[in-house]
Amino acid sequence: MTSAPHSPRRRSFLQAAGVGVGALLAGAGLAGRAEAAGGAPRLRADPFRLGVASGEPAADGAVLWTRLAPDPLADDGHGGMPRAGYRVGWQVAEDERFRRVVRAGSALALPELGHSVHPQVRGLRPGRQYFYRFRTRGHTSPAGRFRTAPGARSARGSFTFATASCQAWYHGHFTAYRDMLDRDPDVVFFLGDYVYEYGITAANMRRNAPAPGARHATETSTLADHRLRYALFKTDPDLQAMHAAAPWILTPDDHEVQNDYADEDSYYGLSEEDFLLRRAVAYRAYYENCPLPPLALAHGPDARLHRRLRYGGLATLHVLDARQYRDPRPADAAEQHAPDRTMLGREQERWLAHGLRSAGTRWNLLLQQVGLVRVTENRVDQWDGYPAARQRLLDVLGEPGVAPSVVFTGDCHRSIAGDLLADFADPGSRVVGSEFLGTSIASDGDGAPTDGYTQDWMQHPWMRFYDGRRGYVLGHADAGAVTAEYRAVPYVQADNRAAGFRLDRFRVEHGRPGMQKVS
């Protein structure tokens, strides 16, 4: 599938902005010649201070990532790098000492892409653990590791995963990743709000650290702003450690661009041209700083972010984009309930429906941004604001022959679990899926078991669980069941290695709709 057709205004914007792939390739050629001619200056300091990462695990490989940045918080957003291309070598080995290297190559780190590289490794064996590292100009990165997905014919087996979202650096330390690291998941699903665009000042700092200075005090709007914001968040050592320990599958929500945006509509009233430019630089920075496939590189303000991955014959992962194509917030109840309103855009809706019907795996796992389960009519930024689109999705989930579906969601800063009904207007209607909404890594500070939103969510008979503390979801999938364990840390505003603990655990059995609490 391709992006939705551009309007004439968007086409003219793209031509004027010059931020598409053509401009990048032209710059790549110039930088490549500079590097090949030996014109790139030496790198005296360690350029791997933002760590390493892997993503998009497949049966035969994965995407590797690093970004050269000897001075990550340099004001110009270039991480202390000269404006030249650098050849970066990479190795993949079967052992952590790199005595059995099985794949190797190089990639060009260009200033036009923030000196990031995204090599795609292929030719590996399914269901195996591998180690990787990068080298450039006499410097060697820390080693990372990833596990490939099972082979296509593997319908049994199992895999573990964790879901995370909403990591406002200025609200707390990323303590939950320490507990996640100890649980050693095979893969991490990151479900939105990797960074936040708001200005960071002493007034909104909850983390016990000084505010990061004037360069971060205003909302991100330029490419340099966004690059700096990612660099700031990535200085957290627990985030770097978790990236190095397992491959990630990521999808953005709103704060990677601007709070509550919808397609070309700025919630804060920017003109279409100004907002599309904001979106273009935000999507570029998102790609530069995450282990995403080259397909996700933005073409101006458009990026292919929804995609489908498989874990053998066990599970199909449908990674959704619930921002780029959605209709704006409704003006009134009549518009909210209009039958043609869409959250995903018509093309992505068709893509998802086809994928659910034809998955051919034991499970469908949907990885998405905002709450699908019905809560209240005034939650218009969630699927409650798009009831007709939600009903179309629920209808597909309930079709005969569609594999059992479990939805994993970010955004809400709380740990919440509920079942999905064929018709939420009829509480007695059958269950067609289950949804596990994960809390934040740090956003909103320490949190509490109950808060002012508890009653709002738990008033319905289809809801099963609510807790307002920070943490993540630890999951497990096998042929018989998908389990979701809610884990939390007692605080994140202070940083003295708080231990994680279990809140509750639920199980969705294959052939038995609805979640069951596990003692």
Side-chain angles (χ1 to χ4, degrees):
M1 175 190 154
T2 58
S3 301
H6 301 322
S7 67
R9 292 183 69 188
R10 179 177 288 185
R11 282 197 295 270
S12 63
F13 164 82
L14 288 172
Q15 293 168 359
V19 292
V21 169
L24 286 177
L25 293 179
L30 292 173
R33 284 195 293 274
E35 195 272 345
R42 288 181 58 195
L43 299 177
R44 298 182 182 277
D46 176 16
F48 296 110
R49 294 184 59 194
L50 293 176
V52 300
S54 65
E56 305 295 295
D60 66 341
V63 172
L64 307 182
W65 172 91
T66 195
R67 179 182 164 205
L68 305 183
D71 183 8
L73 301 182
D75 279 352
D76 62 2
H78 282 275
M81 288 293 294
R83 307 300 196 272
Y86 285 80
R87 185 68 59 181
V88 179
W90 55 266
Q91 294 177 311
V92 175
E94 295 179 334
D95 66 303
E96 56 188 325
R97 295 188 176 183
F98 291 84
R99 292 173 175 170
R100 299 190 301 277
V101 173
V102 294
R103 289 291 182 273
S106 67
L108 193 58
L110 302 170
E112 292 83 2
L113 289 176
H115 287 101
S116 64
V117 293
H118 299 73
Q120 286 191 291
V121 182
R122 293 287 182 256
L124 303 180
R125 301 172 70 181
R128 298 296 182 95
Q129 180 172 267
Y130 291 93
F131 299 85
Y132 64 94
R133 65 184 178 187
F134 297 91
R135 286 175 169 166
T136 191
R137 296 297 184 94
H139 299 277
T140 301
S141 75
R145 61 175 177 157
F146 65 89
R147 182 175 293 276
T148 53
R153 297 182 180 180
S154 175
R156 296 295 173 182
S158 65
F159 70 99
T160 60
F161 56 91
T163 77
S165 62
C166 306
Q167 49 189 29
W169 177 91
Y170 50 91
H171 278 179
H173 299 268
F174 298 167
T175 314
Y177 286 129
R178 298 176 192 165
D179 187 74
M180 187 187 294
L181 190 66
D182 290 341
R183 301 294 172 267
D184 195 23
D186 294 316
V187 61
V188 175
F189 305 147
F190 194 89
L191 305 178
D193 297 343
Y194 192 98
V195 295
Y196 281 71
E197 82 282 17
Y198 302 130
I200 304 174
T201 65
N204 62 11
M205 280 285 292
R206 299 187 189 178
R207 181 180 177 129
N208 63 342
R215 196 64 178 83
H216 292 271
T218 57
E219 183 175 319
T220 56
S221 60
T222 67
L223 181 57
D225 291 342
H226 285 278
R227 286 171 170 170
L228 272 171
R229 192 58 55 89
Y230 280 96
L232 175 66
F233 282 41
K234 282 178 172 291
T235 59
D236 188 282
D238 297 312
L239 175 60
Q240 287 198 22
M242 197 63 237
H243 265 304
W248 287 39
I249 298 170
L250 302 98
T251 188
D253 193 18
D254 54 342
H255 289 291
E256 287 88 350
V257 181
Q258 188 184 67
N259 181 48
D260 287 354
Y261 83 93
D263 192 11
E264 300 177 2
D265 182 70
S266 165
Y267 183 60
Y268 296 103
L270 290 179
S271 69
E272 182 179 323
E273 289 80 3
D274 286 345
F275 182 68
L276 287 177
L277 182 57
R278 175 82 61 94
R279 213 175 82 173
V281 297
Y283 284 177
R284 170 91 70 85
Y286 180 66
Y287 175 78
E288 290 175 353
N289 287 279
C290 294
L292 295 164
L295 184 66
L297 174 61
H299 295 241
D302 300 292
R304 172 63 182 266
L305 299 172
H306 61 282
R307 57 208 188 274
R308 191 171 290 122
L309 299 92
R310 285 176 63 105
Y311 263 72
L314 183 61
T316 300
L317 313 181
H318 309 269
V319 185
L320 305 186
D321 176 357
R323 286 287 167 189
Q324 194 172 179
Y325 312 108
R326 66 159 68 185
D327 287 325
R329 283 177 173 240
D332 51 34
E335 184 178 347
Q336 182 173 350
H337 289 270
D340 60 345
R341 270 179 67 75
T342 177
M343 169 70 86
L344 303 177
R346 291 296 184 180
E347 292 188 40
Q348 189 180 180
E349 276 194 30
R350 289 192 290 269
W351 169 87
L352 176 58
H354 174 75
L356 290 168
R357 291 167 176 148
S358 62
T361 51
R362 188 79 170 163
W363 296 95
N364 281 310
L365 303 184
L366 283 70
L367 312 181
Q368 57 113 40
Q369 291 85 352
V370 296
L372 179 62
V373 67
R374 180 180 172 186
V375 189
T376 61
E377 292 286 294
N378 64 353
R379 290 186 175 271
V380 295
D381 193 55
Q382 300 180 176
W383 285 81
D384 280 333
Y386 304 79
R390 174 171 59 199
Q391 192 58 56
R392 291 192 294 271
L393 176 53
L394 295 174
D395 290 345
V396 175
L397 296 182
E399 287 180 4
V402 172
S405 300
V406 183
V407 181
F408 292 92
T409 301
D411 179 64
C412 60
H413 303 180
R414 277 90 182 154
S415 297
I416 304 171
D419 286 324
L420 303 173
L421 305 187
D423 180 5
F424 280 113
D426 176 10
S429 63
R430 64 193 179 94
V431 174
V432 297
S434 296
E435 182 177 17
F436 297 102
L437 300 97
T439 187
S440 65
I441 292 293
S443 303
D444 283 347
D446 293 337
T450 60
D451 55 32
Y453 296 104
T454 305
Q455 179 57 36
D456 199 26
W457 285 86
M458 296 304 293
Q459 62 182 306
H460 305 294
W462 51 81
M463 299 306 298
R464 299 287 181 263
F465 178 71
Y466 183 100
D467 188 278
R469 286 169 283 192
R470 307 286 74 83
Y472 66 100
V473 176
L474 180 66
H476 181 269
D478 59 32
V482 172
T483 60
E485 176 180 315
Y486 285 100
R487 297 191 62 82
V489 291
Y491 47 82
V492 295
Q493 291 173 222
D495 183 30
N496 51 359
R497 310 200 70 82
F501 55 91
R502 177 192 293 184
L503 294 173
D504 218 331
R505 191 178 187 211
F506 296 88
R507 175 181 175 92
V508 179
E509 296 180 3
H510 197 277
R512 183 184 180 185
M515 65 181 70
Q516 311 298 320
K517 185 173 180 176
V518 179
S519 297

